[in-house]
Amino acid sequence: MLPETRATAGAASGPLSAESAAGGWGVRLGLAAVLVAWCVRRIGDFDIWWHLAYGRLILARGAVPRVDEFSFTAAGAGRVDPEWLFQAIVAALHAVGGTAALVLAKTALLLAVAWLVLRFVERELALRAVPAVALVAPFLLAGRWRFIERPELATIALAAVLVATLLRRRERAPATLALLWVPLLFALWANLHAGIIVGAGVLALFALGRSLEPWLARRGAAPPALGRPSAAQGWGLLALSLLASLANPFGWRVWKVPFELTALHEAGVFRNLEWALPRWPAHWLFFATLLATAAALLTRRRRPDLAALLPLLLLAALALRYVRNLGLWGCLAPLLLAAALAERDGQGAVARTLSGALARVRPALATAVLLGLAAAFLAGDQPFPRGVTIDAQRLPVAAVDRLEELQPQGQLLNTHAFGGYLIWRRAPEHRVFLDGRDDLYADFRRRLGRAVLDSRLWFPLLDELEIGATLLGYEQAGTEVRQVDAAGRVTGTIRQPWSVTYFPPDEWALVYFDDVAMIHLRRTPAHAERIAREGLDALFPEDPDYQRWMVASGAVPREAAEAQLARVLARDPLGRRAAALRDALAEVRNP
């Protein structure tokens, strides 16, 4: 808990009554309710599963893997794993309490971060609970899309502690010995997440800002705020922290990881939504908080507080560049903004304006609004449905169950997003085609990208890798296929489902599908009996329009399609894709 300074206590105006104190706690608990309502969701993230598999392996062996053991396309390749300690922790939690333990631990961690941020803002800006929550809540909500079970939560939490330590006001500057735990923080950080680079950036820019303050003072600016570490302490802490970060199984190589991943993304080797730019209006609240931050800083008449402003600019640049950094923005920006706006003697202009604007808002009303927002989150399924289990509407839980029953021969080609869950369910007996460890597959992804564009490379690749089955999602779009006559002339094009193009029905058979995934088996003697029993080659779950056209044109017998669809609906009567195919067949029957 951050100690309260005399200046802050005085600006807060006198002792609070029991009623106002209770109202303040009500508002804070209302904000906590919003976070809980958002965070207590079924786990639908694709990557947490391979993290869990790594952790399970680490706990079983007592050692950190140095080469890939989970794929057949990059088997034996070396890999730096800066998240090994996070993986061991979540695997231990899962072993004790299953997915519920992961969801609740994530929620508890984010509540702790929110508490640290809120109390810091209250004290630095001398705000009561209502205006403090009004300032903090939009930032937290702007970053809420990244509040998922990922290693970046470690960076969010540790960076928040670092910023609060560096920038909070004290009666006097801290002794160097009192700050030596910061390098220990970095030693821990280097074993939890490659986001340690953010911590180093914040610390370096803080030290740079403090170094520039004497130059600003010579130009007639006001003296800096009291009680922060000096420039010399900042640079010393940075040097010691960088040295302490080497206390990990991979040494200095953990610092290469974020740069290598960024380079792979920028080169187009892989496409991942979390590396995309924030977009309007999907991330409107982020842009609103960004504009509000700029407006608040421009109203400050005294000299810029570079020790807080420079890290804030870094954070804004990171969030503007990649969606994956919105969580950092949501949790750290209020700390940095509050430190940049704090005054030596009471409230500044922004804090006074905010307090005045909300002076008539009773804590009970603010609490009711927050509880209403929490109820709205509970009523919706974004980002994932309510609960503490696996989100089976996003992950191929039922499809992998069926895969285990089918026991296909040969290697399994899987959609990239499903790789992590397959590792968790099937490793070490079965290896995956691809998963979320994008750095591991850089060379293979380049080769795969070329093969996807050229059938002369694609089909030999399937043979070379001995692909015998597929587990595919529905995120791939349909493909335009050229029709060629006997003379080799292009006579037209036809649009057909992705799976039909890349896994032609004369060589592959669809044997299972649900709303999440579908399974194909290669037509080999080893699969003949299973295909005869389970085959769904008259159905095309990716595209009801294509299903309608194939039946209407006579390419697929209606009776066969109806009989196969009846089997699917008997297994899953509520399946949305099966229902769409049923409607498509009905339209052919009754045009």
Side-chain angles (χ1 to χ4, degrees):
M1 188 175 280
L2 304 175
E4 191 169 333
T5 64
R6 282 193 294 254
T8 303
S13 78
L16 300 177
S17 68
E19 181 180 355
S20 61
W25 279 107
V27 175
R28 297 183 187 108
L29 291 175
L31 179 61
V34 171
L35 283 175
V36 170
W38 181 263
C39 289
V40 179
R41 301 279 169 173
R42 298 177 191 175
I43 298 180
D45 181 66
F46 294 125
D47 287 345
I48 184 60
W49 307 102
W50 63 260
H51 285 298
L52 282 169
Y54 263 99
R56 181 172 58 190
L57 202 61
I58 291 167
L59 293 177
R61 294 181 180 175
V64 180
R66 303 302 184 104
V67 298
D68 174 52
E69 302 179 37
F70 294 140
S71 79
F72 62 86
T73 51
R79 182 174 186 270
V80 176
D81 182 13
E83 296 145 356
W84 72 270
L85 184 55
F86 168 85
Q87 292 159 354
I89 291 171
V90 294
L93 284 172
H94 189 274
V96 172
T99 55
L102 301 183
V103 173
L104 295 178
K106 172 200 69 175
T107 304
L109 180 64
L110 287 167
L111 285 173
V113 171
W115 173 255
L116 183 153
V117 172
L118 183 60
R119 295 300 286 163
F120 185 92
V121 169
E122 287 178 351
R123 286 165 173 160
E124 292 298 301
L125 298 181
L127 293 175
R128 294 189 183 275
V130 171
V133 169
L135 188 151
V136 169
F139 285 91
L140 292 177
L141 293 176
R144 70 190 186 280
W145 301 104
R146 301 301 300 173
F147 294 168
I148 49 182
E149 295 78 7
R150 299 286 294 255
E152 69 191 69
L153 291 179
T155 287
I156 289 174
L158 296 179
V161 172
L162 176 66
V163 169
T165 298
L166 295 175
L167 293 176
R168 72 180 175 90
R169 291 182 296 173
R170 306 170 179 84
E171 289 295 328
R172 60 184 63 85
T176 300
L177 286 176
L179 296 171
L180 289 182
W181 63 271
V182 172
L184 299 179
L185 185 78
F186 274 76
L188 174 65
W189 205 334
N191 295 280
L192 289 170
H193 189 226
I196 188 175
I197 191 72
V198 174
V202 167
L203 185 49
L205 291 174
F206 167 83
L208 177 61
R210 292 290 277 157
S211 297
L212 293 175
E213 285 175 350
W215 177 78
L216 292 173
R218 287 196 297 271
R219 297 176 64 88
L226 293 174
R228 289 178 180 169
S230 66
Q233 287 176 320
W235 291 118
L237 285 177
L238 178 62
L240 290 174
S241 297
L242 294 177
L243 184 63
S245 72
L246 301 180
N248 71 83
F250 303 95
W252 64 271
R253 289 183 294 167
V254 299
W255 291 94
K256 294 173 56 181
V257 172
F259 297 105
E260 290 174 343
L261 282 173
T262 301
L264 289 172
H265 164 74
E266 297 294 345
V269 175
F270 65 87
R271 299 293 181 186
N272 196 319
L273 290 179
E274 68 182 67
W275 290 87
L277 294 169
R279 299 291 184 185
W280 180 274
H283 303 104
W284 68 271
L285 194 51
F286 160 66
F287 291 106
T289 57
L290 191 65
L291 291 174
T293 297
L297 292 171
L298 290 174
T299 63
R300 181 181 171 87
R301 295 183 178 179
R302 296 189 180 185
R303 64 151 180 87
D305 185 350
L306 292 182
L309 181 60
L310 293 180
L312 183 60
L313 292 176
L314 170 66
L315 203 63
L318 291 174
L320 281 169
R321 190 67 187 90
Y322 300 118
V323 169
R324 62 181 293 149
N325 294 319
L326 291 185
L328 278 169
W329 170 262
C331 292
L332 300 188
L335 293 169
L336 294 164
L337 178 61
L341 296 176
E343 299 287 352
R344 291 168 52 85
D345 47 0
Q347 288 187 324
V350 173
R352 287 195 301 272
T353 300
L354 189 60
S355 295
L358 298 174
R360 295 180 179 275
V361 177
R362 295 184 178 275
L365 176 59
T367 303
V369 171
L370 290 168
L371 292 178
L373 181 59
F377 284 161
L378 288 174
D381 283 346
Q382 294 295 329
F384 307 118
R386 299 174 301 279
V388 294
T389 56
I390 298 174
D391 183 2
Q393 299 175 21
R394 182 175 169 86
L395 291 160
V397 178
V400 176
D401 289 342
R402 190 72 186 106
L403 198 65
E404 293 297 301
E405 296 172 2
L406 290 169
Q407 289 295 309
Q409 302 298 304
Q411 300 286 11
L412 176 72
L413 184 148
N414 63 272
T415 297
H416 166 270
F418 294 160
Y421 184 71
L422 281 169
I423 290 173
W424 171 248
R425 284 286 301 271
R426 308 186 83 209
E429 291 80 8
H430 301 276
R431 294 174 180 255
V432 300
F433 179 73
L434 285 176
D435 62 85
R437 299 170 296 164
D438 294 303
D439 56 316
L440 185 66
Y441 300 103
D443 293 336
F444 179 69
R445 290 291 287 268
R446 293 186 181 96
R447 183 185 180 192
L448 182 62
R450 293 191 293 269
V452 166
L453 298 176
D454 189 341
S455 61
R456 294 169 298 180
L457 300 176
W458 173 257
F459 294 110
L461 179 63
L462 296 183
D463 294 335
E464 177 190 331
L465 296 177
E466 299 180 345
I467 303 298
T470 74
L471 180 69
L472 303 177
Y474 298 102
E475 64 269 23
Q476 297 94 345
T479 55
E480 296 286 345
V481 179
R482 290 179 295 179
Q483 295 177 308
V484 182
D485 63 16
R489 294 171 300 189
V490 176
T491 60
T493 61
I494 181 175
R495 185 172 180 83
Q496 62 188 26
W498 191 90
S499 67
V500 173
T501 301
Y502 289 92
F503 303 96
D506 59 336
E507 296 182 25
W508 296 82
L510 178 69
V511 295
Y512 174 90
F513 76 89
D514 58 24
D515 289 339
V516 179
M518 50 189 165
I519 298 173
H520 294 80
L521 296 181
R522 190 189 281 261
R523 294 185 184 276
T524 63
H527 291 151
E529 181 181 346
R530 274 164 283 192
I531 291 174
R533 185 178 66 251
E534 307 288 345
L536 303 171
D537 52 0
L539 300 179
F540 305 92
E542 291 167 275
D543 190 345
D545 291 334
Y546 186 77
Q547 178 78 60
R548 185 186 304 109
W549 179 81
M550 290 292 283
V551 173
S553 66
V556 168
R558 178 189 298 159
E559 295 77 11
E562 290 177 340
Q564 292 176 10
L565 184 58
R567 284 166 33 207
V568 175
L569 288 169
R571 184 193 71 239
D572 183 13
L574 300 180
R576 296 187 302 277
R577 289 190 176 271
L581 296 186
R582 180 184 59 202
D583 294 342
L585 292 176
E587 290 179 18
V588 175
R589 186 186 304 111
N590 303 303

